Amino acid sequence: MAHHAQRGEGRVDSIFAAATPPGRGGVAVIRLSGPEARAIAGRLTGALPPPRQAQLRAFRDPAGGEVLDRGIVLLFPAPASYTGEDVVELQGHGGPAVVRSLLDALRRAGGRLAQPGEFTERAFLNGRMDLSQAEGVAALIEADSEAARRAAMRSVEGAFGQRVAELGAALADRRARLEAGLDFPDEEEPAEAGQAALADDLDRLREQLGEIRARAGAGWRLSQGQRVALVGPPNAGKSSLLNALTESEAAIVAATPGTTRDVIRETARVAGQALELLDTAGLRPAAEQEEVEREGARRARASAEGADALLLVVEEGAAPGPEAEEMALSRPERPVLLIRNKIDRSGRPPGLGEEPLGGRPVTAAAVSAHTGAGLEAVREWLEASLQAAAGAEEPWAARERHLEALADAEQALGEARRLAGDGEALEDLVADALRRAQQRLGAITGAVSSEDLLDRIFSSFCIGK
Ligand code: GDP
């Protein structure tokens, strides 16, 4: 889809779009960018104010002169603007008809309605930001949670792209030395020394790549929303709890053991965090289960395996059972909350405590899904645990394509390392693997990019950004 007509062609047209979302609001912002931005805006506003100074103007129909709206005009001259081009911002009243009339007037004044992401694409093409920063902008706009916002800001500020670029430069440097034959200068120098040094260098580079992958991976997981699995024996009250926590009726609540046979996914918001609650099939010993229930239990285990936190639900006073215990302890670093439900029956007060589970101390909460007692503590525990889990690694907002590029680079570097360890001087092959790794890293920052890639990236943005 070659909708970015200006790329690679001589003439650059001037684009405009509403930067504020459709609907009603106090103010609507419309932006123009391009070589004709000043002239086009001037046809509505008359003389533009000095750079970066807000002034009130009438916004007039360029044909008839009718005053369409009255508002603020701002001029950001090239090259120190968001796009690197002349940018003019009109701030009018935030009504749908106002915005429509202004957009129509700008079109008649010679502008073209921007495609999704076209402002940011221009910023990239004009060297105002690298690709990872541009994608960070999209992530920032999509961020729902505090943790996702922080990860996106790190990418927008360039931390991700910079580290990737540094590693790419280090790879290029290492390759240049290899190709110049500096590692194996002549017959006198023992080849083993050169090879050992190469192997060491490759190990160090792989370590750096590993850290980048970990942070990008964490950022990607954040953008997907963290997953919380509700697990426990049948009738413990998992479905009721899910309903109480999400205040909806998505799960079937029934008193017959084994009713919840499939995994029900429900997204809940806890303090801005998107949580996916997995109401999983009850976990009874396999021998007691019917076939369909066994299938449910299998899916439950698979779902819980990938969850970022576990809520292990039991009836107050009941033992969780070995199956649930094992699941809870399968990943020791993952937060587990043992929920003791139905305290309305015993009259026990709600609250948090600590209990051993399979030899490991875990937080336990006394709650009632029916009365809602203790659920606030569950929400608070979830919020704290998930933020700690996501924030610990200082993640960078990243997309699937970044993770793929990093995985490819890792594979190429691994291959280089194997060749270097083979004890033969396979400089050409090592250099080739380094070049491949370097190229894949270049795709992240946009040092290496294609029209196709840019179209795919920017068409996923919203219009006006
Ligand atoms: P699941 O099989 O773990 O999903 O359990 P359900 O949510 O279907 O609940 C099983 C039974 O326990 C139902 O009859 C619920 O009404 C009941 N139940 C769930 N939570 C509570 C609670 O907090 N107090 C009481 N008294 N009963 C509950």
Side-chain angles (χ1 to χ4, degrees), residues 350-368:
L352 294 184
E354 204 170 81
E355 282 188 39
L357 184 73
R360 162 194 176 195
V362 299
T363 310
V367 311
S368 164

Side-chain angles (χ1 to χ4, degrees), residues 17 97 242 260 301 433 452 457 459:
L242 181 142
T260 314
R301 231 166 278 125
D452 201 44
I457 290 174
S459 60

Side-chain angles (χ1 to χ4, degrees), residues 260-328:
T260 314
R261 279 170 179 155
D262 208 339
V263 177
I264 293 174
R265 291 205 158 84
E266 166 106 343
T267 303
R269 299 216 143 264
V270 179
Q273 296 267 11
L275 304 180
E276 215 173 77
L277 299 179
L278 304 170
D279 182 38
T280 54
L283 297 169
R284 290 194 293 173
E288 290 174 28
Q289 295 175 352
E290 296 166 37
E291 197 181 326
V292 61
E293 196 184 334
R294 265 200 295 282
E295 173 58 15
R298 195 192 59 74
R299 291 193 204 178
R301 231 166 278 125
S303 280
E305 204 47 57
D308 301 287
L310 285 186
L311 300 181
L312 184 51
V313 189
V314 293
E315 287 190 21
E316 194 209 341
E323 178 104 28
E325 241 176 56
E326 186 190 312
M327 190 183 278

Side-chain angles (χ1 to χ4, degrees), residues 124-147:
F124 165 69
L125 292 172
N126 290 322
R128 300 290 291 163
M129 54 178 80
D130 73 24
L131 264 192
S132 72
Q133 288 175 293
E135 290 168 294
V137 170
L140 190 59
I141 291 172
E142 283 158 21
D144 284 320
S145 70
E146 189 53 17

